Amino acid sequence: MFEALGRFLFRRRKPLLALTLLFAVLSGAYGVGVFGDMKPGGFEDPGSDSRKAAQLAEKAFPQRSPDVVVVYRDKDRTVDDPSFRQAVTATVEGLPESAVTGYSTFWMTKMPAQVSHDRHATYVGINLRGGDDNAKEEAYKEISDQLDARGLESLRGGPVATGHQAGDEIGKDLGTAEGLSFPVLFLLLVVVFGGLAAASLPLLVGGLSILGSMAVLRLIAQVTDVSVFSMSLVTILGLAVAIDYGLLIVSRYREELERGYAGEEALARTVATAGRTVVVSGITVAVALAGMTFFPFGFLKSMAYGGVAAVVLSVFFSLIALPATLGIMGDKVNALALRRGRRKAAHPDAQGAWYRFAHGLMRRPALVALGALVVLLALATPFLRIDFGANDARQLPDSAQGRQVHNALERDFDSDAVKSIDSLLVLRSSATSPEQGAALQAYAEKLGDTEGATGAQVTGATGTTARVSVTFDGAAVSADARDLVNRLKDVPPPAGAQAYFGGETAVFDDTLDALGDVLPWMLLYIAVATYLLLFLAFGSVLLPLKAILMNLLSLSATFGVLVWIFQDGHLEGLIGFDSTGNIEPNMPIMLFALIFGLSMDYEVFLVSRIREQYDTLGDSTAAVASGLQKIGRLIVNAALLMCVPLAAMATSGVLTMKLFGVGMVFAILADVAVVRLLLVPAVLKLMGRSAWWAPGPLARFYSRFGIKESDAAPEPRQPVTVGG
């Protein structure tokens, strides 16, 4: 099948390349508008009780917890100065009702907590109009330029302002990462290929993939919300995966040229082998990323949309546009060599350093496998004590206003006077009737007497809706606060009433519950789908199971390292961050899907070449050694190249992006160095011929429906003498 595709691509190479260029122009022109169609937020479950509570509060009351907190400060005047008061009140009174539902100043509430210790600063809490994150973001954009008070230092913070600033910071950091990545990648590709012509081709695939993904995301954004954060995944993943696939295709084509093939035959053999590997690998990565759509959160769904689009288009252009370009270039793919007269590359069938390395490993396979397992399990140990927490202003760099507001509130003010867990009640009759008033008061007393609560009071009653706010000590997203929410939910509401709990703690509790409910189904889906795909690719019942288990080991080690660094606070000075003492719960889900897929990428690269050798040599040990000789250097180069844009992302000033970049770089390097190059050869040696075994019915199924290079018999070769 793939061999026939390669011949077709050679015969239609010119019109296919013309269509590719047309696609690039059209998708670029359309896709550039995606930024205006994307939405912020998407971190909450839209069907949760806390979301229903927020919607009830939006309709019935100004929210108790402010969406925006603005700190006003003057080094000379205090809040007791009439001019200070006039400057602040004139500013907030002038805010449009189309964006603001309410605000609270010190002069309204008389709460001492709203004044700094030195009385030279105060904060104003502002509630924005809108029932979800996207609506509040739009409202904030409307007023953000109107919050400066004349003559005062004005700092914008609070959840919505902080989220907006994080989005802006990520956008700038991505631009910087892309600007750094492209020239560095090109230079490294020149070194890898030894020439300018070949080095440009993987970057061509990356550019096409990014342009196409932007157009796809804009189309999706017309029918559903797409998070603005998904563009970060499209640009980085699209570039990284496309370079991997482009590297594989170009390297194999040059290998076929070295063997003496040319023209249609060289391209057919390239697509039949490397093209098949790219398809299997891409499908596996896309399947893993699609698992994020199982979750109800718009953020994870958007990451799945962007990631799948980037991977699928990378496969498409690597399989269509790149071979068509190679067919036109022919042996000119080696043009513009890095230096003249360079030593001729070793024949691809030679037994070189990687061959000897593999045999060295396979002399003591049990010892190598045990050592690799010990290292991975030791790295994974901190993962056992992971502590989840919500994002807050601490994810921003010190230069961001949201971070400065957070620091000022902790340093200069007594306490958070607006923190609470709110019970929003839908009653069977008027909330202001004497009967319901008495019932609400009794309910508030029960909530206030609950273990962990410091008090509760009715803070709103209108129509058939009421609100009871519960105060407590400690952090809003701590385990103790979550336990308190669940105890409060066990308190019976007034007869005939329905209670929905809201506030930061309730949102976080609902988020973790939703993640916990869906995660097992996502894991089952990824495991089953990956197993089936790898069976169709390799015809073995044991190899897919081995691959899945090794991926889980690699993932556990990565998560353990991330906990040790970002939760425990090690390497803060070196990496440049301030630990929050926890991990944002959406990040491990996204990292799991990405790392699982990309780790399987290298598994498919390696095992496909080993399987190819096994089919021609018939000896498992020789197949592992010769397969590693042919693909080992390429896998290492591909991993290093992929780490370039990810490492650039790790320089971001936003903590979540830094964690993402560090986690991905470590995962890729550890997976290649420990799992693919040490553990896989050792385990395959221990498994021997059984690694390729399948029972009769499944073997016949694979023979008929397996994902193969062509229907022709394998090319016969002389068996390789097994050393050691």
Side-chain angles (χ1 to χ4, degrees), residues 236-293:
I236 298 301
L237 185 64
L239 184 60
V241 173
I243 286 176
D244 263 13
Y245 297 160
L247 181 65
L248 185 67
I249 295 284
V250 174
S251 296
R252 188 59 186 254
Y253 182 72
R254 297 176 81 195
E255 184 179 318
E256 297 301 337
L257 292 178
E258 289 176 9
R259 285 201 172 105
Y261 297 99
E264 181 178 327
E265 192 63 26
L267 197 64
R269 293 172 67 88
T270 298
V271 175
T273 52
R276 168 191 173 276
T277 300
V278 164
V279 169
V280 174
S281 175
I283 294 174
T284 307
V285 177
V287 162
L289 293 173
M292 288 188 285
T293 61

Side-chain angles (χ1 to χ4, degrees), residues 34 329 332 625 706:
V34 68
M329 295 178 70
K332 290 185 175 60

Side-chain angles (χ1 to χ4, degrees), residues 67-130:
D67 301 306
V68 178
V69 175
V70 186
V71 171
Y72 294 103
R73 178 187 291 122
D74 189 282
K75 63 180 181 179
D76 298 320
R77 293 174 292 175
T78 70
V79 296
D80 305 305
D81 190 309
S83 62
F84 192 119
R85 174 178 180 175
Q86 175 61 28
V88 173
T89 55
T91 299
V92 296
E93 287 173 358
L95 297 176
E97 293 185 2
S98 60
V100 174
T101 61
Y103 56 83
S104 63
T105 69
F106 161 67
W107 301 279
M108 295 167 55
T109 65
K110 306 301 182 183
M111 291 193 303
Q114 279 190 264
V115 178
S116 64
H117 302 145
D118 63 5
R119 302 191 69 78
H120 282 269
T122 184
Y123 71 80
V124 176
I126 300 173
N127 299 117
L128 299 174
R129 194 171 299 281

Side-chain angles (χ1 to χ4, degrees), residues 352-692:
W354 286 103
Y355 186 91
R356 295 189 295 272
F357 173 74
H359 272 300
L361 292 177
M362 290 187 288
R363 289 191 184 97
R364 297 177 179 82
L367 184 61
V368 171
L370 180 61
L373 284 172
V374 168
V375 170
L376 293 173
L377 291 174
L379 292 172
T381 301
F383 183 42
L384 297 174
R385 50 183 170 76
I386 189 170
D387 184 22
F388 294 113
N391 276 335
D392 58 28
R394 289 174 295 172
Q395 70 171 315
L396 294 173
D398 289 334
S399 59
Q401 288 192 25
R403 177 66 180 272
Q404 293 174 31
V405 168
H406 177 273
N407 292 343
L409 292 177
E410 286 198 336
R411 180 186 66 242
D412 302 332
F413 294 79
D414 282 336
S415 64
D416 181 2
V418 294
K419 178 186 68 179
S420 67
I421 299 170
D422 297 331
S423 176
L424 273 295
L425 296 145
V426 179
L427 307 170
R428 63 182 180 183
S429 60
S430 174
T432 57
S433 68
E435 176 189 0
Q436 289 292 5
L440 286 171
Q441 189 58 44
Y443 176 61
E445 290 176 1
K446 292 178 183 178
L447 294 180
D449 290 338
T450 302
E451 180 187 352
T454 58
Q457 60 180 327
V458 179
T459 55
T462 181
T464 57
T465 305
R467 180 178 62 200
V468 178
S469 298
V470 181
T471 57
F472 59 97
D473 292 327
V477 295
S478 64
D480 290 340
R482 285 191 65 209
D483 291 340
L484 173 58
V485 166
N486 289 304
R487 286 193 292 270
L488 294 173
K489 289 179 179 179
D490 292 335
V491 176
Q498 177 66 50
Y500 301 97
F501 282 83
E504 186 179 1
T505 307
V507 169
F508 182 64
D509 186 63
D510 286 344
T511 297
L512 290 185
D513 286 346
L515 290 173
D517 290 342
V518 176
L519 182 59
W521 296 105
M522 174 198 175
L523 297 179
L524 179 63
Y525 151 76
I526 290 178
V528 171
T530 300
Y531 187 95
L532 293 175
L533 282 168
L534 293 184
F535 171 76
L536 291 174
F538 303 130
S540 165
V541 296
L542 296 179
L543 278 179
L545 181 61
K546 172 200 71 71
I548 291 171
L549 292 175
M550 287 185 179
N551 270 20
L552 293 178
L553 278 171
S554 178
L555 276 160
S556 298
T558 299
F559 289 153
V561 169
L562 290 179
V563 168
W564 185 79
I565 294 175
F566 290 96
Q567 179 177 303
D568 297 349
H570 295 99
L571 308 182
E572 283 183 320
L574 179 64
I575 298 177
F577 73 99
D578 293 325
S579 175
T580 61
N582 50 51
I583 303 291
E584 201 281 324
N586 282 290
M587 292 304 295
I589 302 297
M590 185 173 70
L591 285 170
F592 178 91
L594 278 166
I595 295 170
F596 190 95
L598 293 176
S599 296
M600 205 59 76
D601 217 22
Y602 296 119
E603 174 77 5
V604 172
F605 282 15
L606 176 59
V607 178
S608 290
R609 205 63 193 260
I610 293 174
R611 175 77 206 206
E612 183 184 337
Q613 295 302 111
Y614 181 76
D615 287 341
T616 57
L617 301 175
D619 181 274
S620 181
T621 302
V624 171
S626 56
L628 194 60
Q629 169 64 31
K630 294 172 184 297
I631 201 71
R633 179 174 177 270
L634 187 144
I635 288 178
V636 171
N637 287 335
L640 293 174
L641 288 166
M642 181 175 280
C643 285
V644 169
L646 294 170
M649 193 177 240
T651 64
S652 171
V654 179
L655 181 59
T656 50
M657 302 306 291
K658 189 179 293 290
L659 183 148
F660 176 83
V662 171
M664 291 297 296
V665 168
F666 175 84
I668 290 169
L669 294 180
D671 184 82
V672 169
V674 180
V675 177
R676 307 307 152 194
L677 299 183
L678 294 179
L679 196 53
V680 169
V683 171
L684 287 178
K685 171 64 176 178
L686 293 172
M687 295 174 71
R689 297 180 67 90
S690 64
W692 314 102

